[in-house]
Amino acid sequence: MKFWRYLFGFALLASVLLHLSVLLAGPIYDWWTQPEFEQTALRKTERKLAEQSLDDSDKPAELANVQAVDQQQVFLAPATEPSIKPTATKVASAQPKPRLKTASKPAVLVASAVVVASAVASENMPVSVDGSDSLGVNVASAVVENNPASAVASQPAAAVTADAEPASKVANKASRVMAQLNREANKRFPKVVDIGYYWTVFDARMQWKIDKDQYVLRLQANPVGKKIEYLSEGKISAKQGVTPMRFADLSLGPNTPKNSVDFNWATQTAVVGPPNALKTEPLEAGDQDLLSAALHLALMGSRQTSYGMSLFSGKKRYPDVVFELKGEATLTLGTTKVDAVLMRAQWSDRQVDFWLAPEWNNLPVKMSVNLGKDGSFEILAKEVTLDGRKVLEWISPQNQQQRRP
């Protein structure tokens, strides 16, 4: 009889191990064969995280109707008499200068901009380049979203200076204009974000969507068939940052929160905890939950030298939490090296680290949360998509040349 019991127990154990090996085979293989996630030593930094904007209202007046292009082409073409007389832009000058005679000049600077997903408005922009002069640039709406190439080919935009400046100088000024446009674009906070993370050996995904003054932020993972899902939702503005209205641990299902926080800003109170043990805690302006804090810091940038708040985890409230910029390091995310700034909060035996990438709108590319006995986790980005544009792409370990030893 004992023999059959042992045999049954052995068979059951073998079945469980086989089941686990099937579930874990893929994640373990990816983890074992992926490049090491290297991190340079934390170094001091003078970098300031740029404050983000949520619309075009902060754009300089001269660029108000202009969008950045994905590609810019500047080239020389032989001078020809145009069938349609181009409109020359005027350049401010202390002395009147003679008109440009096309027959006496060997070449005309022809500039075309190829845009894949945005329309470029016609606008005369006096943009200061070196403090002593300015360039009137005529940006033509030469791009059609469905067929940009044909639009550029059939309708090239001509930029002609009244004093026939050297082509290299005009091209340099045009490049500076486009660089300014791109800098402004980088300060506009993305409305739709999708970040894939490694959560130890498992995949996790954080997604947020901003619609007008509302945001919804989710973090999801499925380790060994177990569901993990956190939700934060509330209001957002460029001036006030993030104002959470609800945070919930939805690991038990969308209608059964394991833990939650309901923020009542009118009464300055928050109801915190599991459904059967809710308690009321005080609430002050600037307080955040575990997810909204990263979004808030990314949006506000270096507007403040430090950010003090109460931090809500769903289980409890942690008062007097202060995030400070501690330095920067270079992280290796897959095959890409990214500079990231560390915003860290430490209190008691707990610590929360948000590594924010300035080149990607201060997005959290690494998050380390250690709440002592209340739980901990660390996630590291492997793919990042901003408003449909992929800036960090995950490469299958089979296609990566670098391997673990």
Side-chain angles (χ1 to χ4, degrees):
M1 194 68 175
K2 289 184 178 181
F3 170 77
W4 292 109
R5 287 182 180 175
Y6 289 139
L7 183 60
F8 177 77
F10 177 78
L12 181 61
L13 178 62
S15 175
V16 171
L17 291 176
L18 179 62
H19 182 66
L20 287 175
S21 65
V22 171
L23 288 175
L24 296 176
I28 290 177
Y29 177 78
D30 288 348
W31 173 78
W32 183 257
T33 56
Q34 73 192 7
E36 293 284 357
F37 286 125
E38 298 175 354
Q39 177 179 317
T40 62
L42 186 65
R43 57 186 182 269
K44 292 184 178 180
T45 180
E46 299 298 326
R47 187 193 294 267
K48 300 294 183 183
L49 291 172
E51 297 176 24
Q52 303 292 300
S53 63
L54 294 173
D55 51 38
D56 292 340
S57 61
D58 297 332
K59 186 185 290 187
E62 66 270 20
L63 304 180
N65 298 320
V66 182
Q67 297 178 8
V69 299
D70 291 338
Q71 301 177 36
Q72 181 186 7
Q73 298 174 344
V74 178
F75 55 91
L76 292 177
T80 57
E81 189 68 29
S83 58
I84 301 176
K85 187 176 180 180
T87 301
T89 50
K90 294 180 180 181
V91 179
S93 175
Q95 298 293 332
K97 296 185 179 181
R99 275 189 174 180
L100 172 66
K101 297 180 180 180
T102 55
S104 63
K105 299 297 179 182
V108 180
L109 179 66
V110 181
S112 67
V114 181
V115 187
V116 175
S118 63
V120 180
S122 295
E123 186 74 14
N124 289 330
M125 301 180 300
V127 180
S128 176
V129 176
D130 56 11
S132 61
D133 59 356
S134 63
L135 169 66
V137 181
N138 182 265
V139 181
S141 54
V143 183
V144 178
E145 193 167 326
N146 293 330
N147 194 352
S150 64
V152 173
S154 62
Q155 189 74 14
V160 183
T161 59
D163 57 353
E165 287 182 298
S168 60
K169 186 175 181 180
V170 177
N172 183 50
K173 290 182 178 181
S175 295
R176 294 193 183 197
V177 170
M178 300 317 300
Q180 184 174 354
L181 286 171
N182 288 328
R183 283 194 297 272
E184 294 303 323
N186 288 339
K187 293 180 182 178
R188 289 191 291 279
F189 214 42
K191 300 297 180 67
V192 180
V193 173
D194 189 332
I195 306 179
Y197 292 96
Y198 275 114
W199 188 322
T200 314
V201 300
F202 304 101
D203 290 335
R205 186 162 297 276
M206 186 168 74
Q207 298 171 309
W208 79 61
K209 183 177 181 181
I210 298 173
D211 186 8
K212 296 181 180 178
D213 63 344
Q214 305 287 323
Y215 79 91
V216 177
L217 174 59
R218 294 180 186 272
L219 177 62
Q220 298 171 303
N222 293 93
V224 197
K226 179 182 177 182
K227 178 183 177 181
I228 295 176
E229 180 175 354
Y230 298 104
L231 168 70
S232 175
E233 53 189 354
K235 298 180 179 180
I236 187 169
S237 70
K239 184 177 180 180
Q240 301 295 333
V242 176
T243 305
M245 301 301 293
R246 180 173 180 257
F247 174 82
D249 180 347
L250 300 178
S251 301
L252 300 179
N255 300 319
T256 311
K258 186 176 179 180
N259 298 286
S260 65
V261 186
D262 288 311
F263 298 87
N264 190 327
W265 296 97
T267 61
Q268 297 288 283
T269 58
V271 179
V272 188
N276 60 348
L278 293 173
K279 56 184 178 180
T280 301
E281 297 281 6
L283 183 63
E284 296 182 6
D287 289 353
Q288 303 291 330
D289 61 60
L290 275 177
L291 293 187
S292 68
L295 183 61
H296 181 71
L297 294 175
L299 177 62
M300 302 299 279
S302 295
R303 186 179 302 182
Q304 299 174 203
T305 56
S306 63
Y307 290 88
M309 63 184 70
S310 290
L311 193 63
F312 291 83
S313 69
K315 291 182 179 180
K316 61 176 63 177
R317 166 181 175 263
Y318 301 99
D320 304 320
V321 174
V322 180
F323 282 93
E324 296 178 308
L325 196 156
K326 294 296 185 179
E328 71 175 307
T330 302
L331 308 181
T332 301
L333 307 177
T335 58
T336 303
K337 294 185 180 299
V338 178
D339 289 332
V341 170
L342 173 60
M343 294 293 291
R344 170 176 287 170
Q346 290 177 299
W347 70 103
S348 184
D349 61 341
R350 296 165 174 85
Q351 179 172 307
V352 176
D353 288 350
F354 293 135
W355 293 86
L356 309 180
E359 65 180 285
W360 295 335
N361 301 93
N362 306 333
L363 294 178
V365 291
K366 180 180 178 181
M367 295 192 288
S368 300
V369 176
N370 183 357
L371 299 179
K373 63 181 182 180
D374 295 326
S376 63
F377 67 85
E378 179 174 283
I379 55 179
L380 195 69
K382 65 175 184 175
E383 57 183 357
V384 178
T385 303
L386 313 178
D387 287 334
R389 180 172 60 96
K390 185 161 286 189
V391 297
L392 176 65
E393 186 171 5
W394 180 78
I395 301 175
S396 172
Q398 294 92 320
N399 298 328
Q400 297 177 6
Q401 295 182 356
Q402 184 178 357
R403 290 292 185 267
R404 289 176 182 265

